[in-house]
Amino acid sequence: MQSPSDFPSPPPGCPAHNSGQGIPLYTQEFARDPDAFYTYMRHFGPAAPVELAPGVNASLVTDYAAALHVLQNPDTFVRDSRRWRALNEGRIPQDSPIVPMMAYRPNCLFSDGAEHMRVRQAVTESLGRVDTHRVSRHVDRVARYLISQFTSRGRVDLVTDYAQLLPLLVFNDLFGCPAEIGDRLVFGIASLMDGVDVEKANEVTTEALLELVALKRAQPGDDITSWLMQHPARLTDEEMIHQLITLVGAGNEPTQNVIGNALLLLLSDSKYAGDQNGAGLLVEDAINDVLWNSPPIANYAVHYPVYDVDLSGSKLDAGDPVVISFAAANTDPSLSTSRQTLSKRAHLAWGAGPHACPAKDLGMLISVLAIEKLLNSLPDVELSVPADNLTWRPGPIHRALNTLPARFTPVRKQEAPSPSRAPGTLRAPGAAAQPAEHRGRAQKGGFWSGFLTWWKA
């Protein structure tokens, strides 16, 4: 593969400038303007050399057809990261923030072949038992709870006070979490996704899930955790824990980013802003826009070639990570003439092939309902800062806003908020703007128990 120094200069501020190294995807510069970086990367062909974290190199597939080829050829490109050559050779720092998102876990995300089919079937059939009416009711309850926290203030951060919290609280219900376990999961998963104190977050999350699995073994309920446990695949406790980490984390991060990114469009883009006619259709159109142009998981689906591969001119070495850029593939210039006429499902935001997201319909339902509930509750909500002033969370995987400040006409509270949080302090643990001392407190008396107290009052 050619070196970055062989091509035109990277975008302004790119740390890879004249370095000859992989292009860093974890910097503020990349988060500020990823499209400029993707444009530069296309000079390398279908795949470009990147750095996912300091010292962690990979190839990023930016071409739509090449991405589909990798995603749909599991015999050549496998997901089992025990093949990761650099990790096996001790060249990857064990405390790297990207390792928890790439290291092997015995679940359907990191398995292949018959083992993948066994675990994947357990997941899809368990998710298939979810009652969408139950989901709708619970999204409505959670949305009302969160809105009640800020409705009298006339101002809100729609990311940290709403989009980041709503999916976590909804998933806690779907997975049957009691209050104290749910609080620790909210803290652990949010911190893992942000790369904040990942060792502690991994410990908290694992311990919480161990307790949840033990609880459901003894007292099964009408929830996804119990259904997974009861499935003929006979998942072990270890498989249960790692599958739940993937389901809760992979369900929450994309959903919260879809909600935040779609709200940004609805409140700032002239195609959507100010038009109250056909609101439901507008919400779905905005979400489709996000999935094509600003997918919530921008770069992931890590694969490992089982032998050296030539991917349309890009040389990929066996055992080296190959990451799919859903964002770059969706904006591939070769699609420009036909892109708008493609099926809404032709984007790659949910992946493709045998590892395509099994919870995409559930994530879409939660996102649409959450946005509609907010807009119906606060019909005059608007951004309180220019859209160009907004910043994005750095990181190689997600496309997520730091904040989304908004204002609206204050509404007198109809329901008392939870006493566990003072106005203005309701924030997701692990969020970039969250002080460290707030993150530590989130493990006890947190958001899930606060919601349950509010709902039972």
Side-chain angles (χ1 to χ4, degrees):
M1 182 176 288
Q2 293 167 288
S3 161
S5 59
D6 297 332
F7 293 103
S9 296
C14 175
H17 186 80
N18 293 328
S19 70
Q21 303 300 312
I23 302 153
L25 303 187
Y26 52 86
T27 64
Q28 291 284 356
E29 290 83 5
F30 176 75
R32 188 176 300 119
D33 190 6
D35 289 337
F37 282 74
Y38 297 141
T39 297
Y40 168 67
M41 291 180 205
R42 291 190 178 100
H43 290 292
F44 297 90
V50 297
E51 205 178 28
L52 302 175
V56 182
N57 297 307
S59 295
L60 188 73
V61 179
T62 59
D63 177 89
Y64 184 93
L68 273 179
H69 178 78
V70 173
L71 291 166
Q72 295 176 341
N73 282 274
D75 292 335
T76 303
F77 300 94
V78 299
R79 298 295 289 270
D80 188 336
S81 57
R82 289 174 293 186
R83 290 178 176 267
W84 188 1
R85 189 156 49 92
L87 184 67
N88 293 336
E89 294 173 357
R91 293 187 280 120
I92 303 298
Q94 287 298 318
D95 61 351
S96 172
I98 196 67
V99 166
M101 301 299 296
M102 294 176 64
Y104 175 77
R105 297 178 187 271
N107 59 33
C108 64
L109 187 62
F110 295 101
S111 58
D112 302 290
E115 187 60 21
H116 171 256
M117 290 180 63
R118 180 181 74 89
V119 183
R120 171 84 178 201
Q121 186 175 24
V123 170
T124 55
E125 292 182 4
S126 297
L127 291 175
R129 295 179 62 176
V130 173
D131 182 352
T132 56
H133 296 292
R134 170 184 169 181
V135 175
S136 299
R137 291 193 301 270
H138 196 61
V139 171
D140 182 78
R141 289 194 293 261
V142 170
R144 281 197 288 130
Y145 166 67
L146 294 175
I147 293 169
S148 77
Q149 307 295 302
F150 54 75
T151 188
S152 65
R153 302 201 312 257
R155 56 183 174 79
V156 63
D157 182 338
L158 292 173
V159 168
T160 56
D161 292 341
Y162 193 71
Q164 286 185 335
L165 291 173
L166 187 141
L168 276 172
L169 299 185
V170 171
F171 285 123
N172 267 1
D173 174 72
L174 294 177
F175 285 88
C177 291
E180 197 270 339
I181 292 177
D183 287 340
R184 284 183 287 151
L185 273 183
V186 170
F187 167 78
I189 293 294
S191 297
L192 275 176
M193 298 305 294
D194 268 339
V196 176
D197 195 1
V198 292
E199 186 174 345
K200 176 65 174 177
N202 203 38
E203 178 186 337
V204 169
T205 303
T206 301
E207 288 180 354
L209 290 175
L210 274 169
E211 292 180 29
L212 180 62
V213 168
L215 173 66
K216 296 301 175 179
R217 291 281 187 205
Q219 303 173 30
D222 189 25
D223 53 67
I224 295 173
T225 306
S226 300
W227 300 334
L228 275 171
M229 205 171 281
Q230 297 160 359
H231 192 273
R234 300 176 65 86
L235 300 182
T236 66
D237 283 1
E238 182 186 17
E239 288 175 325
M240 283 292 304
I241 290 164
H242 289 291
Q243 192 56 65
L244 290 171
I245 288 175
T246 299
L247 284 174
V248 177
N252 173 69
E253 177 76 14
T255 306
Q256 72 176 42
N257 296 345
V258 166
I259 294 170
N261 297 353
L263 281 171
L264 171 59
L265 274 184
L266 288 161
L267 298 179
S268 65
D269 193 308
S270 58
K271 290 188 298 184
Y272 306 105
D275 187 349
Q276 298 300 313
N277 297 319
L281 181 60
L282 280 177
V283 169
E284 292 184 14
D285 287 345
I287 290 176
N288 185 58
D289 196 330
V290 164
L291 295 175
W292 269 108
N293 300 303
S294 189
I297 300 299
N299 307 296
Y300 199 39
V302 187
H303 293 73
Y304 302 86
V306 297
Y307 49 82
D308 294 351
V309 175
D310 186 311
L311 185 67
S312 301
S314 292
K315 294 181 180 179
L316 308 175
D317 294 335
D320 286 352
V322 176
V323 180
I324 303 299
S325 179
F326 305 114
N330 282 352
T331 56
D332 183 344
S334 68
L335 299 177
S336 60
T337 57
S338 59
R339 193 163 168 268
Q340 298 305 319
T341 62
L342 290 172
S343 163
K344 290 183 178 181
R345 296 182 180 271
H347 61 72
L348 298 182
W350 303 119
H355 285 272
C357 177
K360 60 182 181 295
D361 292 337
L362 184 58
M364 280 290 293
L365 175 63
I366 293 170
S367 300
V368 170
L369 294 174
I371 295 171
E372 290 180 352
K373 182 67 176 180
L374 179 83
L375 298 180
N376 289 333
S377 300
L378 306 173
D380 65 345
V381 66
E382 61 181 7
L383 294 185
S384 56
V385 300
D388 291 343
N389 290 357
L390 296 171
T391 60
W392 299 83
R393 279 166 48 204
I397 295 175
H398 51 246
R399 183 58 175 164
L401 288 159
N402 276 317
T403 61
L404 188 59
R407 61 192 172 207
F408 52 90
T409 302
V411 180
R412 187 170 61 183
K413 291 181 181 177
Q414 299 299 313
E415 296 162 301
S418 165
S420 64
R421 286 283 181 267
T425 64
L426 187 64
R427 288 185 178 274
Q434 180 78 349
E437 62 269 21
H438 286 194
R439 291 197 299 268
R441 284 205 307 268
Q443 296 178 64
K444 293 184 179 180
F447 302 107
W448 181 234
S449 57
F451 166 73
L452 293 177
T453 300
W454 173 87
W455 181 243
K456 293 173 182 177

